Each structure stands twice: as structure tokens, then as C-alpha cells.
Amino acid sequence: YKEFLIYQEVIPEGGQYRIAGRITKEEDGELKTHRFIRSDVLSNKADAEELMLKKAQMFIDQMSGRIF
């Protein structure tokens, strides 16, 4: 997404899934990584992964790509 790679890494927690993941991008030959964990939890893993992707894309858009 806009030259970033987004990894959905939701965390199982008490029968639900917490939104979490990584956003990476190569800059000047170096791989930069931003990890995040959100307060959102969902009961379905696929739904949690989809929401994580949307939140990561929104974060990239809001930060105008200046994440690292």
C-alpha cells in the first residue's frame, strides 16, 4: 500500500483477537519497521485482520507516509 508492506499479526486474547501488526518500508537500503497494537478486539480472526489492514492504511494516509 503506497510503497509500504502491511503485516497483519493479530494477537489471540481470551477467545478474541486484538488488532496488531507491522508496517514496513525500505528506505535508503534499510528496512524500517513500525509495530503497533490497538485496543480493538474482535471475536473473529478474519474480521480482526481486515480491520487491522484498514487501520494501517488509515495510519499511513494520516501520517502522509512519515511513519519512521
Side-chain angles (χ1 to χ4, degrees), residues 33-50:
T33 301
H34 176 82
R35 296 182 187 275
F36 62 93
I37 299 174
R38 299 289 188 249
S39 60
D40 309 89
V41 290
L42 288 94
S43 60
N44 181 290
K45 183 177 181 181
D47 290 344
E49 290 174 339
E50 182 179 337

Side-chain angles (χ1 to χ4, degrees), residues 23-36:
I23 299 171
T24 66
K25 183 178 182 182
E26 187 173 325
E27 292 183 350
D28 300 321
E30 181 181 346
L31 185 64
K32 305 276 187 168
T33 301
H34 176 82
R35 296 182 187 275
F36 62 93

Side-chain angles (χ1 to χ4, degrees), residues 4 23 27 33-34 56 59-61 63-68:
F4 291 87
I23 299 171
E27 292 183 350
T33 301
H34 176 82
F59 181 65
I60 291 167
D61 292 341
M63 297 300 292
S64 301
R66 294 172 281 137
I67 295 173
F68 312 107

